[in-house]
Amino acid sequence: MAPAAPLNTDATVDAAQDGHQLKRQMRLGDLVLAQVLTVVGSSWVGIAAGVGHAQLVVWLTAFLLFYAPMAVAVYFLNRIMPLEGGLYEWARRSFGDTVGFMTAWNIWAYALTSIATILFQIPSELAYLIGPAAAGLPENHVLVYTLLAAIVLLLTWTAVRGLSLGKWIHNISGSAMILAFALLIVAPLFAFLHGAPLHYAPLALHLPPTDARSLSLMGQVLFAAAGLEYIAIMAGETHAADSAIGRSVVVATPIILGMFVLGTASVVSVHGVHAGTAINYVAPIPQTLTLAFGNGGAAAVIAKLAILLLQIRIVGAASYLFTGATRLPMTAGWDHLIPEWFTRMHPRHLTPTNSIYVTGLVVASLLVLGSAGVHAAEAFGVLNDASSEFYALAYLAMFLIPICGARAVRDRLPRWVAAICACGVVAILFVLVMNAYPFVDVRSPLAFAVKIVGTVFLVNAFGYMFYRSRQLVARAGKFNARA
């Protein structure tokens, strides 16, 4: 891909990156592992396996209609605007402060709910890892609260320390994810060599069913590969961000596609032998490895190793999302869209301490909400179900930039980028609709959809009112100063 011309390099990039004295910690290898960490989630291979041997067609469709526009948009937008804040800054400079703020708000809402959800998985995964003796762990509230509190404190501490420490957590976690998928990919071979009559066909081309459940699953898979742009939030802490982030997209893409397609094929083939066992959409990898390797001997050790690797990935993904979430209030504070209090930096580590503490407090509050009574847990569940919708709204803004963003931005992009991103707009609108439809059994799909749409509306309305109140206060202050 040809490089795009930088957008007002002296006025924007220098001020945003150098003027605030961020430490540049991340290089190409760190970025590639971070892309794998954020894009490849363990549950997606189970969800994609729900369409059976049509999984390759579904993955190729997802990569063609969503991933390719995302990769192109990230590559070129980061080229001309390699700014701390990433998509928030791209949207703000293309559509103005209001759209920029709401884009950041939706990314922040997505990140916080995702972090809380990730952390909620840990007690159940640990019980799976330890075995029957730990079956009651997820219901032991004292142990669960103590464990989750320790993890939130750890996330907060490492975020304060900055990416000099955090990138190693992310690198180890990304490597653990790759190794876990390697075990998943070889699982069918192990089962076949031990007499299982499985059918492994990762490259089979079958059309998926067109019923509502399958369409919902496809809507989920379409958005499964989201996350390439998240690393751009930390562009100001990346060496040669204008080129390195784009190169990380190019390097990581075949790795990500291979992990998704081959990993899903393993889930489909192993479950084909165990037709009476429903796919566990929450933990498909531990379930598949247990079915393939068995519950005893050395094979069981391999399955438990993979579960341990996924635990490492869970903590790393939470750390990665947490780090990005803390940078959004900081950059919005630089732009005077929220109080400057959020921009205060640690004197030694040069990290936004106040933003970090607030983010940690919100995550802790969500964890309490998710386990404090039936109604609170239901509220958290709805919020979590809506998290993909928050992220999809941010993506809609990104795909619209090359199409109808500020001319100063569009003129620096190749014209064909707008055509590619138009496919992304169509894909993301499909995601927004289908994510509101449940792919698991619920009492009333309509009530579920109303809850999701209503939650997204209320969260965005709250964010907009907060933004408008800040603008009114700022205008009143200017008026009083003139008077």
Side-chain angles (χ1 to χ4, degrees):
M1 296 181 183
L7 179 65
N8 294 334
T9 300
D10 292 338
T12 59
V13 177
D14 290 348
Q17 295 185 353
D18 298 332
H20 296 288
Q21 299 179 330
L22 297 171
K23 291 185 177 181
R24 298 183 185 273
Q25 303 283 358
M26 302 184 70
R27 300 183 183 274
L28 179 60
D30 307 316
L31 298 176
V32 171
L33 287 171
Q35 299 288 26
V36 172
L37 177 64
T38 186
V39 175
V40 184
S42 60
S43 64
W44 294 119
V45 292
I47 293 173
V51 298
H53 290 289
Q55 63 95 12
L56 177 61
V57 171
V58 171
W59 277 122
L60 291 178
T61 302
F63 269 69
L64 178 65
L65 297 182
F66 176 78
Y67 188 94
M70 172 182 63
V72 168
V74 171
Y75 185 94
F76 282 101
L77 290 174
N78 181 76
R79 278 276 187 177
I80 65 174
M81 293 179 283
L83 302 167
E84 187 82 358
L87 177 50
Y88 152 67
E89 284 290 358
W90 305 343
R92 190 181 73 84
R93 292 168 189 272
S94 299
F95 297 114
D97 288 350
T98 302
V99 174
F101 176 85
M102 294 308 299
T103 299
W105 179 264
N106 277 282
I107 297 173
W108 200 61
Y110 157 77
L112 295 179
T113 51
S114 295
I115 293 167
T117 303
I118 287 171
L119 296 184
F120 263 128
Q121 294 176 9
I122 292 178
S124 296
E125 295 277 2
L126 281 177
Y128 215 125
L129 175 64
I130 297 170
L137 174 61
E139 304 303 323
N140 190 322
H141 294 299
V142 174
L143 286 178
V144 168
Y145 275 124
T146 302
L147 177 62
L148 295 181
I151 293 174
V152 172
L153 290 174
L154 178 64
L155 292 178
T156 304
W157 176 72
T158 56
V160 170
R161 286 291 306 274
L163 286 170
S164 60
L165 173 62
K167 71 175 184 178
W168 293 109
I169 297 174
H170 308 155
N171 289 351
I172 292 170
S173 301
S175 300
M177 193 61 168
I178 292 174
L179 183 54
F181 263 74
L183 292 173
L184 175 65
I185 291 168
V186 302
L189 176 61
F190 178 90
F192 177 77
L193 293 176
H194 287 76
L198 55 79
H199 176 62
Y200 181 71
L203 302 182
L205 295 174
H206 296 280
L207 293 177
T210 56
D211 57 276
R213 176 181 172 276
S214 295
L215 289 174
S216 180
L217 286 169
M218 285 186 279
Q220 295 283 331
V221 172
L222 196 64
F223 201 45
L228 283 181
E229 91 304 325
Y230 201 85
I231 192 64
I233 294 175
M234 294 162 270
E237 298 162 90
T238 301
H239 291 277
D242 57 339
S243 60
I245 290 176
R247 289 170 62 196
S248 75
V249 171
V250 174
V251 175
T253 293
I255 299 172
I256 292 169
L257 178 59
M259 292 173 70
F260 275 137
V261 171
L262 298 179
T264 305
S266 293
V267 177
V268 172
S269 62
V270 171
H271 276 81
V273 181
H274 302 271
T277 302
I279 296 173
N280 186 330
Y281 290 128
V282 177
I285 296 179
Q287 182 195 39
T288 301
L289 292 175
T290 300
L291 292 175
F293 290 110
N295 292 309
V301 174
I302 295 175
K304 288 184 180 296
L305 171 62
I307 297 172
L308 177 60
L309 292 171
L310 291 176
Q311 292 298 294
I312 295 172
R313 183 264 170 186
I314 285 174
V315 175
S319 171
Y320 180 74
L321 288 170
F322 190 93
T323 301
T326 65
R327 282 7 181 213
L328 292 171
M330 176 186 72
T331 51
W334 288 347
D335 296 324
H336 308 292
L337 301 186
I338 64 174
E340 190 178 353
W341 181 84
F342 285 94
T343 69
R344 294 180 187 174
M345 310 291 278
H346 191 281
R348 177 183 174 187
H349 303 299
L350 297 180
T351 52
T353 50
N354 290 344
S355 179
I356 290 169
Y357 297 146
V358 169
T359 302
L361 182 62
V362 174
V363 170
S365 300
L366 287 173
L367 290 172
V368 172
L369 178 66
S371 55
V374 174
H375 294 298
E378 288 178 354
F380 173 79
V382 173
L383 191 62
N384 175 59
D385 289 337
S387 64
S388 293
E389 302 285 78
F390 299 137
Y391 209 16
L393 288 174
Y395 267 96
L396 182 61
M398 183 177 77
F399 288 138
L400 287 173
I401 290 173
I403 299 172
C404 57
R407 183 170 294 276
V409 175
R410 288 187 285 120
D411 286 348
R412 287 166 173 81
L413 299 171
R415 295 189 183 279
W416 58 267
V417 172
I420 294 293
C421 286
C423 293
V425 171
V426 174
I428 212 66
L429 290 175
F430 179 77
V431 169
L432 282 166
V433 172
M434 296 313 302
N435 274 358
Y437 186 91
F439 61 88
V440 295
D441 292 332
V442 296
R443 181 174 299 178
S444 171
L446 177 61
F448 179 90
V450 170
K451 286 181 181 179
I452 298 303
V453 174
T455 300
V456 173
F457 175 80
L458 289 175
V459 170
N460 276 272
F462 179 80
Y464 181 75
M465 288 189 292
F466 172 78
Y467 169 76
R468 291 299 299 168
S469 66
R470 285 287 307 162
Q471 300 307 300
L472 292 175
V473 169
R475 289 175 185 173
K478 290 180 180 179
F479 177 80
N480 292 334
R482 290 174 182 170

